[in-house]
Amino acid sequence: MTDVAVVAFAQSKHVAADPNRNEVEMLMPVVAEALEQAGLEREEIGFVCSGSCDYLLGVPFSFVTALDAIGAWPPIRESHVEQDAAWALYEAWVRLQHGDVDTALVYGFGKSSLGDLHEIMTLQLDPYYLEPLWPDMVSMAALQARAYLDATGKTERDLAEVVVRSRAAAASNPNAIVAGTTTADALLKEQTTIAPLRTSDCPPITDGAAVVILATADRARAISERPAWIRGIDHRIEAHSIGVRDLATSRSTALAAGRAGAADDKVDLAEMHAQFSHEELIVRDALGLDDSATVNPSGGPLAANPVMATGLIRIGEAASRISAGGGDRAVAHASSGPCLQHNLVAVLEGE
Amino acid sequence: MSERCAVVGVGQTKHKSARTDVSIAGLVREAARKALDDAEMDWSDVDAVVIGKAPDMFEGVVMPELYLADALGAVGKPMMRVHTAGSVGGSTALVATGLVQAGIHERVLVAAFEKQSESDAMWALTVSQPFSAPLVAGAGGYFAPLIRGYMRRSGAPDHIGMLVAVKDRKNALRNPNAHLHLHDIDMKMVEESPMLWEPLRYLETCPSSDGACAIVLGNEATAAKVPRRPAWIHGTAMRSEPTMFAGRDQVNPQAGKDCAADVFRQAGVTDPRRDLDCAEVYVPFSWYEPMWLENLGFCADGDGWKLTESGATAFDGDIPWNPSGGVLSSNPIGASGLIRFAEAAQQVRGEAGDYQVDGARRALGHAYGGGSQFFAMWVVGSDKP
């Protein structure tokens, strides 16, 4: 395997709704910032890959116009996944194994404010047997939360503690939408919206974008003083129907973590794509983290959730902490689908 | 790149207007099962699954890899969903090829599909975007002015498009999977069909199909064990250019030229007409054959129509294009690119049945998408690269 590292990461200042900028306008400054961090010109990038979802904008081919944020002239080597941009990063990592190019730029973007995200995600479900019942994304998550609490004996207070920690961590994240000091008691006074979940257990609707630049061995060292090396990366999917899964666990996360070597050494920090408070507890178990690991130091998706970029941001956040010397070994997790159906795990290390 | 990669299994559905007998999952699984049977493998032999299709709005299922995971035997495995507009079928094969070449997986199942009967692609393609000029014209309306541009530039006579329409439909008569089997096809029939988008007549246009295609890719060790001859991948390339850019030549796009130059360099092809035995090229509208003949370097600029007119691209010509009948005879959009790649592989495997080009040893698979700004290509051969 060719060594590949994250050498730059930039994200937009996420907001609940950005009515004044389209996707390209949202992306362009983020692309520029990432290139500047890496000290690269656009023309030096060997491969470009992005992740987005047409249904967020409500038109087909939303990635086509987004390409203008990169400027694809002269023509470039480029690809796109209709998945969270963490999977675009995976494709770029594979592409860099080819050996003919040594840098890749990965971007993800989404404006959840344009439509009804909870209903759009319903369209991910089996179109014959499940989607016609219109279970929305939060209701599906609540089923998993209930299964988790029942199986573990944990309570809604444990969920609230996740929210308290997330908001406290987000206070130092300038890109967070939901941040600040609160207590479990205060949160538990809220009514549940879809039991056992409260609004505070759910991610904020967010518009945003993110960019990661990858580079191979020598190039990475030339670009960054302390590249965040991708020591392992793997992703796994599980059955679609929640009726055939053990919702209290995440087998696909555990499988991907094992393949990526997450538990091979001490983990200093983890960034998890846990959109709901209970997901953090489930993913944490699946990753096999002990109490010494700092969890979601950015505040995680509960602080800001620009859908289709959220997973990529986990990798970027983890990598930038490694590069800044805030840890030697990090695990980043990205997820897709109802009730954590599809999960990706990356292990990042300093030199 | 460390590992050699080969196509070791190919499967396709019978393409038709509406496959009401199967669900979306049933359609894709049908092609995947055929590809596994061809490779004499089972679901458990597959390490990873990569799927591709055109916009989710064509079926109304968001990120369909989630729903298709079970049907494609992907549970517990890595699964990806590629989307690069009309070129997606080709891009999907290339992403999967990368997984094998990088040594990450030994056997990868690739599937691409479209079930156009689930919706109206004409509508799904023309939803207007904020701050963009509305284009309620479908793909034909987009490409017709570019074809006009080609005719003016090259001085091509009006009947060239009809020649391609007849040739590809005649080829399709040899292909049992083709959607269109027009037994009486001739110039008169094409000429008398309604004009849809001047200069494109109804019969110069691709059909709207339900269908799926799947291939199994394997590394060298896998290719040594399969029952039928593998198609070795000699070169792969993708290129994209911007949609809105005054410097673009939309008739003869630079991204297509660059992509072809890259893939031919990797495969050691210096004169594609001479060095290749046949080509499966994405020709959804008749005139795109002469246009892509020039763009891909099979002849000099301005000469594409002369090649078509001379019969060089016919089944018995010196460089047959689309012996399977091409996109003009079957168009499950998201699968159409993968079908081109797979048909190129079938030719060099000697598995193309009644449309086998005699002695084919090297072939091009080509796909394009969007408004001609996305390109994916591979060259496959009977011999190890």
Side-chain angles (χ1 to χ4, degrees), chain B residues 9-135:
Chain B
V10 172
Q12 275 185 66
T13 59
K14 160 75 181 142
H15 310 298
K16 55 190 284 193
S17 295
R19 281 292 303 270
T20 53
D21 59 320
V22 285
S23 64
I24 297 167
L27 183 78
V28 188
R29 187 179 166 93
E30 184 179 311
R33 183 68 256 180
K34 285 183 177 175
L36 289 172
D37 288 346
D38 187 32
E40 289 187 9
M41 286 186 194
D42 214 333
W43 302 102
S44 57
D45 296 316
V46 172
D47 300 323
V49 180
V50 183
I51 68 162
K53 66 172 299 303
D56 290 355
M57 280 167 196
F58 284 1
E59 287 87 8
V61 184
V62 172
M63 304 179 205
E65 74 280 3
L66 299 164
Y67 150 65
L68 292 171
D70 303 74
L72 290 175
V75 172
K77 297 171 188 173
M79 188 166 186
M80 294 183 71
R81 188 292 178 84
V82 180
H83 179 21
T84 61
S87 56
V88 64
S91 311
T92 306
L94 298 187
V95 170
T97 301
L99 289 167
V100 175
Q101 289 178 332
I104 296 165
H105 300 302
E106 295 186 6
R107 292 166 301 273
V108 178
L109 174 66
V110 186
F113 69 98
E114 211 69 68
K115 205 160 188 299
Q116 287 210 55
S117 65
E118 299 284 335
S119 77
D120 181 344
M122 173 88 171
W123 169 83
L125 282 168
T126 54
V127 180
S128 54
Q129 305 202 16
F131 312 112
S132 297
L135 180 82

Side-chain angles (χ1 to χ4, degrees), chain A residues 1 22 47 52-55 57-65 67-68 71-84 87-88 90-91 93-95 97-100 120-121 123-128 131 234-241 244 255 307-308 336-338 341-342, chain B residues 1 22-25 47 55-58 60-63 65-67 69-70 74-86 91 95 98-99 101-105 115 118 124-131 236 238-245 247-248 254-255 258 262 266 373-374:
Chain A
M1 286 288 139
N22 67 20
F47 180 65
S52 68
C53 171
D54 281 352
Y55 266 82
L57 183 59
V59 300
F61 306 117
S62 63
F63 65 93
V64 170
T65 40
L67 194 55
D68 286 346
W73 191 266
I76 60 173
R77 297 177 179 86
E78 187 263 344
S79 185
H80 172 263
V81 293
E82 194 87 354
Q83 295 181 279
D84 185 284
W87 275 267
Y90 181 81
E91 182 179 334
W93 173 78
V94 175
R95 184 66 183 78
Q97 302 299 321
H98 220 71
D100 59 333
I120 287 170
M121 288 305 160
L123 298 178
Q124 284 185 331
L125 305 175
D126 180 321
Y128 303 98
E131 186 247 285
D234 193 89
H235 62 99
R236 300 280 147 168
I237 198 164
E238 51 196 284
H240 181 62
S241 167
V244 302
L255 202 50
V307 171
M308 307 316 286
S336 174
Q341 189 192 343
H342 195 183
Chain B
M1 129 180 56
V22 285
S23 64
I24 297 167
D47 300 323
D56 290 355
M57 280 167 196
F58 284 1
V61 184
V62 172
M63 304 179 205
E65 74 280 3
L66 299 164
Y67 150 65
D70 303 74
V75 172
K77 297 171 188 173
M79 188 166 186
M80 294 183 71
R81 188 292 178 84
V82 180
H83 179 21
T84 61
S91 311
V95 170
L99 289 167
Q101 289 178 332
I104 296 165
H105 300 302
K115 205 160 188 299
E118 299 284 335
L125 282 168
T126 54
V127 180
S128 54
Q129 305 202 16
F131 312 112
T236 62
M238 282 161 87
R239 286 295 186 284
S240 309
E241 65 181 50
T243 307
M244 300 295 178
F245 170 52
R248 274 186 84 198
Q254 190 63 41
D258 291 359
D262 190 1
Q266 292 171 43
Q373 69 272 46
F374 301 104

